[in-house]
Amino acid sequence: METIKIEYIINTVQGEGRWCGTPATLVRTFGCPVSCPWCDTGYGENKTDHGYAVMELAEILTACRERHVMITGGEPMIHRQLPEICEALIEAGKFVQIETSGAFWQDVPDDVWVTFSPKDHCSSYKSKPQFWARANEVKVVISDGREMDFYGEKLKSFKGEKLFQPEYERRQWSTPLCVQLAREYGGRLSIQAHKLLGLQIGRAHV
Ligand code: SF4
């Protein structure tokens, strides 16, 4: 495999969604062009400098100590090496989860759990329609409720898990709305547990 730019790999817990609380290795890939206004990884409108390491597949496999491996970003789907990394991790006995905006498509193995968090409402990078069939869970970040103009109809027929996550800075206002949407669509409130608990999700191994 050709090398890939990785911002960092840490052993921590998954803080969001279906696998919240699961011990997991987080692989944060480098780069994202989607530019969401509220991005909390420094790839949004207010971009910050990011370092990265150029890594070989074998180095990635060695760094993934937990059975659950979540590959996030940035936007992992911009990296053409992604399917090969997923295949190698599955071959090594890992459960692989990818978190994506869905703005780029990669044909990853069927065993990969895909968390799809579309950003059509806040970015010019629109999600690829095939994610509504491929994703295992859809996570809609709710800031003011207008997001549902983009996703409401699609969520009605979506077969996987439906998660409504308050945009963190507006959580006092948007949490009740998320609960209401969870009732309406047969979904769940998604909590960013790592933020509420002050868990370390940084560059150091935990
Ligand atoms: Fe940030 Fe994700 Fe939006 Fe990229 S898609 S700018 S990483 S929130």
Side-chain angles (χ1 to χ4, degrees), residues 28-55:
R28 192 175 295 286
T29 58
F30 175 80
C32 177
V34 179
S35 288
C36 303
W38 38 261
C39 176
D40 60 4
T41 64
Y43 285 112
E45 284 181 348
N46 298 315
K47 288 199 191 309
T48 56
D49 287 337
H50 292 255
Y52 61 84
V54 177
M55 296 186 78

Side-chain angles (χ1 to χ4, degrees), residues 82-84 86-87 90 107-114 134:
L82 188 64
E84 196 176 342
C86 292
E87 283 162 19
I90 291 168
D107 203 4
V108 295
D110 290 347
D111 289 346
V112 172
W113 180 278
V114 174
R134 172 61 182 87

